[in-house]
Amino acid sequence: MDCWYEHGLTFSCIPGCRYCCSVEPGFVFLSLKDLKRIALGTGKTLKETLVQYCIPVPMGDVTHFSLKETKRNDCIFLTPEGCGIYEHRPVQCSTYPFWAHILESPAYWEEEKAWCPGIGQGEMYTKEDIQKALAIRTQNPPVTREEIDRILSDA
Ligand code: SF4
């Protein structure tokens, strides 16, 4: 089947935009690697990182973990200068907008422009770049409470 983005897609984050880190309530789901990277970037233990920056999010039979938000729906790491942990930010953030449900069709890609003014302009991402971003997300599934409990009990 032909890949609708065979010739690539353009995207550049608009400096100062911050829309995906604030304004609307939402979840930033964390993989185990994300948690370890944030712990490294903040100089905290895994347990401190969970308690200080994360909330459990029940999802049916499993519970995942998301970054906390302020009352104004700002991510807990959002500063006036932008992301306070940019080099250690979660995979969900670093792979945006190359997410499976946004890339399902050209229509969904166009629709996402309503949320992100950087879509459709700026830097060209090849089909290979996009598929690499999709693979990174697949390889970093959200961590579950069971995994976390096991890690913390071993610590
Ligand atoms: S971790 Fe950084 S990039 Fe991700 S939502 Fe928070 S402020 Fe935005």
Side-chain angles (χ1 to χ4, degrees):
M1 190 181 102
D2 284 349
C3 169
W4 71 268
Y5 49 83
E6 186 72 36
H7 304 297
L9 294 169
T10 52
F11 165 71
S12 284
C13 189
I14 311 275
C17 168
R18 309 151 58 94
Y19 200 92
C20 54
C21 310
S22 64
V23 185
E24 303 284 341
F27 296 121
V28 178
F29 289 112
L30 302 165
S31 69
L32 184 54
K33 274 191 191 158
D34 287 333
L35 283 167
K36 290 181 175 172
R37 208 171 28 249
I38 294 169
L40 182 69
T42 56
K44 307 275 183 197
T45 66
L46 193 59
K47 190 165 188 174
E48 289 165 342
T49 301
L50 276 167
V51 172
Q52 198 164 339
Y53 304 123
C54 307
I55 50 165
V57 181
M59 311 272 294
D61 301 340
V62 295
T63 296
H64 292 313
F65 289 82
S66 171
L67 289 179
K68 288 181 180 174
E69 287 183 333
T70 68
K71 287 199 178 72
R72 292 172 355 126
N73 302 324
D74 291 349
C75 170
I76 193 166
F77 289 113
L78 191 59
T79 73
E81 294 71 41
C83 179
I85 57 164
Y86 191 81
E87 299 306 323
H88 300 89
R89 69 196 188 287
V91 161
Q92 183 176 313
C93 306
S94 61
T95 58
Y96 181 80
F98 303 117
W99 296 351
H101 73 275
I102 299 173
L103 292 166
E104 221 171 286
S105 73
Y108 285 124
W109 180 253
E110 287 304 313
E111 216 175 270
E112 190 66 16
K113 286 181 181 175
W115 306 97
C116 173
I119 288 177
Q121 55 94 42
E123 189 178 345
M124 172 56 78
Y125 288 79
T126 65
K127 175 184 163 188
E128 290 67 31
D129 295 331
I130 295 166
Q131 290 178 337
K132 212 182 286 175
L134 288 169
I136 289 169
R137 292 263 345 246
T138 311
Q139 290 151 7
N140 287 275
V143 72
T144 65
R145 178 178 288 285
E146 289 68 30
E147 285 171 306
I148 290 294
D149 290 346
R150 199 170 43 251
I151 292 158
L152 293 178
S153 63
D154 295 347

